Amino acid sequence: MSDRPRTLVAEDQYLLRDGLTHLLTAHGFDVVAAVATGPELVAALRAHRPEVSIVDVRMPPTNTDEGLQAALAARREVPGLPILVLSQHVEQLYARELLADGTGAIGYLLKDRVFNAEQFIDAVRRVAAGGTVMDPEVIAKLVAGNASDPLSALTPREREVLSLMAEGCSNAAIASRLHFSEGAVGKHTANIFAKLGISASDDTNRRVLAVLAYLGS
């Protein structure tokens, strides 16, 4: 990721699109395109190959799933292309499909649950760096829709750690939320990797694989 990540904004509401553009620019992102429709999004993704894209789900011309369909198509062309979905709703099927290739660099946030600029910018940076950031409500719906349970070997505390990992929390943030040391978080994380059969790799990839197992994708 460059010092000023090339960023694409896809949002059909002018005020929100303009606001996102100004917010990202103020925090050091280079917004290379800001588009309002699905076809414009597809063209911009191909033309600019941004380092991260913020994509609304429902965009013209159909106002159904244009944004997500464009994101899925782009990820098929460029596996691991960083996409942060901003939506009013949880689209379970598409969320699973976005996660299914296992490459990470995916985020899914609900618009009315983004409470401040720092939270949003941190999520964008995590996705641009290859991480996975999911709103807790999205996580809850994906887990509820998962018929099998690959996590039965995990302790309740390990599940808590993995849930916060899925939200994009660092070890320090998890330690703060659960009120114990970073060292303890590291031990829980190592246990999670071992129980899920995730072999040694770089830590980012292992976290992505653990999150994918948790979400049942």
Side-chain angles (χ1 to χ4, degrees):
M1 183 173 63
S2 63
D3 291 339
R4 290 183 58 83
R6 297 188 324 279
T7 307
L8 185 155
V9 175
E11 166 60 54
D12 63 314
Q13 297 182 34
Y14 168 75
L15 288 177
L16 183 52
R17 184 173 68 251
D18 191 58
L20 286 170
T21 299
H22 281 85
L23 176 65
L24 289 160
T25 301
H27 283 81
F29 292 82
D30 178 17
V31 179
V32 295
V35 301
T37 70
E40 288 176 325
L41 171 56
V42 172
L45 284 166
R46 288 174 174 163
H48 296 287
R49 293 295 171 93
E51 292 173 85
V52 63
S53 300
I54 293 88
V55 177
D56 188 18
V57 171
R58 299 182 180 183
M59 302 180 68
T62 67
N63 290 308
T64 54
D65 57 5
E66 294 287 311
L68 271 175
Q69 290 288 8
L72 287 167
R75 294 267 297 188
R76 284 191 288 268
E77 286 188 27
V78 185
L81 186 70
I83 302 283
L84 173 59
V85 174
L86 271 181
S87 178
Q88 296 283 10
H89 312 280
V90 181
E91 305 282 355
Q92 292 188 48
L93 177 62
Y94 291 127
R96 288 185 185 281
E97 192 170 350
L98 279 169
L99 289 161
D101 63 10
T103 57
I106 282 292
Y108 200 126
L109 299 180
L110 299 180
K111 291 179 181 178
D112 61 358
R113 289 169 55 85
V114 177
F115 299 119
N116 56 62
E118 289 73 20
Q119 174 194 12
F120 175 70
I121 292 298
D122 180 64
V124 177
R125 291 194 185 282
R126 287 179 181 276
V127 171
T132 301
V133 179
M134 308 295 285
D135 185 279
E137 187 173 324
V138 176
I139 293 170
K141 291 196 174 181
L142 290 177
V143 172
N146 183 21
S148 60
D149 183 8
L151 311 176
S152 57
L154 301 186
T155 67
R157 181 62 83 184
E158 288 163 356
R159 283 175 176 261
E160 282 185 290
V161 170
L162 185 50
S163 175
L164 291 174
M165 200 185 296
E167 291 180 34
C169 294
S170 64
N171 280 5
I174 293 171
S176 176
R177 292 271 290 272
L178 297 181
H179 306 293
F180 50 67
S181 70
E182 281 191 59
V185 174
K187 289 179 181 178
H188 285 307
T189 301
N191 288 340
I192 290 166
F193 294 153
K195 289 179 180 180
L196 295 180
I198 298 171
S199 58
S201 177
D202 74 83
D203 193 51
T204 297
N205 283 345
R206 290 201 294 173
R207 289 171 77 94
V208 168
L209 291 172
V211 168
L212 293 174
Y214 177 65
L215 297 176
S217 48

